[in-house]
Amino acid sequence: MSKPRETAVYTHGHHESVLRSHTSRTAANSAAYLLGSLKPHMRILDIGCGPGTITADLAALVPDGHVTGVDHAPAILDQARATAAGRGLTNVDFAAADVHALDYPDDTFCVVHAHQVLQHVGDPVQALREMRRVTKPGGFIAVRDADYAAMTWYPAVPGLDDWLELYGRVARANGGEPDAGRRLRSWALAAGLADITATSGTWTYSTAGERAWWGGLWADRTVASSYAERATEGGHATTGQLEAIASAWREWAGQEDGWFAVLHGEILCRK
């Protein structure tokens, strides 16, 4: 029998505008729901580590333990290694992996963590089964994912409605589920997990600097990243439509009363 494998295409890619967002992620702003469960000796698997900022934070929090960061895109791992090396961390390593078929024995890790991963995979239930398999008895499976349909903003710049509708179409055409946050508990139950604590968390952008950063990276991502290529090549939008959406992001960012909130679902499961 062949092993399950990834069937979805990662919507965002690793354009500079994407990494601008990913490198801002820390354990504090992206995994706070997990931190109270960590112990200094723990061995952690960080799935979908990307440029490694959360991975490095986790490694610093388990000085007597070890963290392994894995990603489906091998090319990003050099940046993750550089992130860890720049912080002088020696209890961390990185490898390429597919969450649907992890190359680790049963009961290996104290914590298996995935941030913004299940929204992009072809079979999130199988991914959670694998995460459970490699977690030690008594260990934790920790997952956090955004929920695009629950994102909200002010003022009501019409082009942002177009952005949200288009992003949902492109992400689903790539095999993902952009409204993953609300589904995490359901997926965990389907994967056989029972001891589940479901919570939520937000990122909020409202100051002038925050609006410029968030609106700017989405404006650039809309016209210059892999997402833009998949939107046009898949027949979901024209270049002109993408440029109009990018302009809408810049318009929103320039509003003195602008406000944007990203809702995330979170699950912390005890094996």
Side-chain angles (χ1 to χ4, degrees):
M1 178 188 248
S2 62
K3 284 186 177 181
R5 62 183 180 84
E6 181 59 271
T7 56
V9 175
Y10 181 45
T11 296
H12 297 293
H14 293 99
H15 183 265
E16 181 278 329
S17 60
V18 178
L19 294 179
R20 205 183 310 164
S21 172
H22 289 186
T23 54
S24 74
R25 298 173 182 175
T26 66
N29 68 29
S30 300
Y33 70 104
L34 166 64
L35 302 188
S37 300
L38 298 183
K39 306 295 181 188
H41 69 277
M42 283 181 159
R43 185 175 181 188
I44 300 175
L45 178 64
D46 186 25
I47 295 172
C49 66
T53 51
I54 297 175
T55 319
D57 280 354
L58 294 175
L61 291 167
V62 292
D64 302 322
H66 190 88
V67 180
T68 296
V70 297
D71 202 282
H72 194 247
I76 196 61
L77 296 178
D78 284 342
Q79 184 167 342
R81 293 183 183 102
T83 298
R87 293 181 55 175
L89 296 164
T90 58
N91 63 332
V92 60
D93 69 296
F94 297 93
D98 183 345
V99 67
H100 298 88
L102 295 167
D103 192 22
Y104 299 100
D106 296 356
D107 307 335
T108 298
F109 299 96
C110 305
V111 175
V112 179
H113 168 262
H115 182 265
Q116 311 288 25
V117 173
L118 294 192
Q119 64 180 283
H120 297 297
V121 306
D123 190 343
V125 173
Q126 171 60 21
L128 283 163
R129 288 193 191 106
E130 273 293 273
M131 293 172 71
R132 180 183 187 277
R133 179 185 66 77
V134 302
T135 301
K136 294 179 178 180
F140 296 95
I141 298 97
V143 180
R144 188 175 195 252
D145 261 283
D147 194 297
Y148 275 75
M151 293 184 188
T152 190
W153 58 85
Y154 186 86
V157 177
L160 293 191
D161 289 326
D162 296 335
W163 160 75
L164 186 60
E165 189 274 333
L166 174 64
Y167 181 84
R169 279 194 286 118
V170 174
R172 291 188 174 97
N174 287 338
E177 175 45 72
D179 301 339
R182 68 189 65 190
R183 292 170 164 81
L184 295 182
R185 178 176 170 84
S186 176
W187 288 340
L189 289 168
L193 293 162
D195 187 351
I196 305 167
T197 300
T199 55
S200 62
T202 59
W203 292 332
T204 305
Y205 307 104
S206 63
T207 68
E210 290 167 347
R211 294 194 315 272
W213 180 78
W214 184 245
L217 71 84
W218 267 108
D220 293 345
R221 189 182 303 191
T222 297
V223 295
S225 69
S226 295
Y227 162 69
E229 294 172 10
R230 285 161 188 147
T232 53
E233 291 173 4
H236 304 289
T238 64
T239 298
Q241 288 169 327
L242 293 181
E243 289 171 349
I245 289 172
S247 294
W249 272 111
R250 295 188 186 96
E251 179 185 348
W252 170 81
Q255 301 299 312
E256 186 178 1
D257 57 352
W259 178 90
F260 198 107
V262 179
L263 178 70
H264 302 84
E266 302 162 342
I267 53 169
L268 187 63
C269 310
R270 194 76 179 257
K271 180 175 174 180

